Amino acid sequence: MMNPPVPPSVLQNIFPTAEEDAKLGNTPTAVPQTEHPAYRLAFQDADFLLREDLRPVRFQLELMKPEVLLAEADIHSTFVFYGSARIPSPEEAPALIAAAETPERKAVAARLARNAQYYDVARELAVKVSTFCKDGERCFTVCSGGGPSIMEAANRGAWESGAPSLGMNIVLPHEQVPNPYVTPGLSFQFHYFALRKMHFLMRAKAVAVFPGGFGTFDEFFELLTLVQTGKVAPLPILLYGREFWNRVVNFEALAEEGVIAPDDLKLFHFVETAEEGWAIVKAHYGL
């Protein structure tokens, strides 16, 4: 007969914790051996953890840290917002146009300003989803990339409704500070895009995609691929801005060329307003 497993509490009484040993290990007697980096505890040795061959460990840490903290915060389902970091808020749009110095830049600024309406739409949608509860539990926690523009609008809507929201920031060559509306304890920073994208979708119950550039395209089309191939269960994918998307992507041509199936065009919904998008989500889940 096998012996029963030893309860974790008993193991903790037998062995010192990592925290305890870390304190002891930081105050060794100063001799050549203890002064050498090789003597550091492995989990306290930043130089060791940053080595090229420790990448698998860093992957695991970047997967685990948000996972553990979100579980502790009791956040199990999210409403994800994708979109440009360059679209201004309606209040900022006039200044953006005024600052443009050439006709070409003024034209670009005018197009960005035209999409400023989606800042307010994202903000309004975030309010709606943040305040919805079923059986006393919040069903959708707003999650964005944590940056400015559309991302800021999403976190701002949650903040204005008194709800927590996530920010999944990433290290970029030019510093990107989290927008001020992300809940501080739910603001994460990533090194690996792959792990960041995993965390975007691991708890996602719906995704709203607003006009954006390469980053938004990357996230949106990867999501479509995952649903198309059955790696992610079907979920509401709201594509905001029919005029924008049909100008930059010819979805119908993809089907006509045979590289996607006509039914693949049903994986997402073109929408314009917060009410329209929220109605699709509620219908999908029978809320």
Side-chain angles (χ1 to χ4, degrees):
M1 179 180 295
M2 294 180 62
N3 293 326
V6 180
S9 59
V10 175
L11 293 176
Q12 289 168 3
N13 291 333
I14 295 174
F15 298 109
T17 66
E19 184 178 4
E20 290 168 340
D21 268 1
K23 292 177 181 177
L24 294 173
N26 280 334
T27 56
T29 302
V31 296
Q33 291 78 10
T34 62
E35 293 293 305
H36 196 281
Y39 195 72
R40 297 173 190 158
L41 287 168
F43 56 80
Q44 286 192 305
D45 190 341
D47 293 332
F48 176 68
L49 290 174
L50 294 175
R51 288 168 56 127
E52 187 72 15
D53 46 5
L54 266 289
R55 180 178 291 154
V57 175
R58 294 195 298 274
F59 261 69
Q60 187 175 17
L61 290 172
E62 199 150 283
L63 175 65
M64 286 187 64
K65 183 179 179 181
E67 184 74 9
V68 170
L69 295 181
L70 290 173
E72 290 178 350
D74 202 28
I75 292 174
H76 307 288
S77 59
T78 57
F79 198 119
V80 177
F81 288 70
Y82 293 146
S84 175
R86 304 187 184 192
I87 292 174
S89 67
E91 296 79 16
E92 298 167 333
L96 181 69
I97 296 174
E101 299 174 350
T102 66
E104 293 79 10
R105 293 194 176 189
K106 281 194 179 294
V108 171
R111 284 193 288 270
L112 285 170
R114 187 169 66 239
N115 285 318
Q117 61 177 310
Y118 293 115
Y119 182 100
D120 282 343
V121 173
R123 182 177 168 187
E124 183 182 350
L125 179 62
V127 171
K128 290 182 179 296
V129 306
S130 294
T131 53
F132 179 82
C133 295
K134 186 177 181 182
D135 300 327
E137 293 187 6
R138 181 176 290 107
C139 295
F140 304 99
T141 301
V142 166
C143 175
S144 85
S149 189
I150 297 298
M151 296 173 279
E152 175 188 285
N155 295 118
R156 183 176 178 179
W159 178 82
E160 289 171 338
S161 66
S165 70
L166 282 64
M168 303 280 189
N169 225 290
I170 190 159
V171 178
L172 297 173
H174 303 288
E175 183 182 12
Q176 179 178 281
V177 178
N179 71 68
Y181 302 105
V182 180
T183 301
L186 301 175
S187 182
F188 303 101
Q189 184 174 215
F190 291 84
H191 170 64
Y192 298 107
F193 267 106
L195 273 299
R196 180 184 186 235
K197 290 194 287 185
M198 280 188 66
H199 275 292
F200 272 135
L201 298 180
M202 285 171 66
R203 300 160 193 79
K205 297 301 179 186
V207 177
V209 185
F210 289 84
F214 288 160
T216 304
F217 273 58
D218 177 38
E219 293 153 346
F220 172 48
F221 280 99
E222 181 169 38
L223 173 57
L224 291 180
T225 302
L226 290 170
V227 177
Q228 180 197 50
T229 57
K231 296 295 184 180
V232 167
L235 75 168
I237 302 174
L238 312 175
L239 195 56
Y240 277 90
R242 180 188 291 270
E243 181 181 352
F244 170 86
W245 288 104
N246 279 337
R247 179 169 182 255
V248 298
V249 183
N250 193 333
F251 293 103
E252 297 290 343
L254 292 174
E256 292 168 1
E257 292 291 333
V259 292
I260 65 172
D263 279 350
D264 290 336
L265 298 175
K266 299 176 183 177
L267 295 177
F268 57 89
H269 307 268
F270 282 114
V271 288
E272 295 296 332
T273 67
E275 291 83 358
E276 187 180 6
W278 183 222
I280 290 171
V281 175
K282 289 193 294 184
H284 180 88
Y285 290 108
L287 303 177

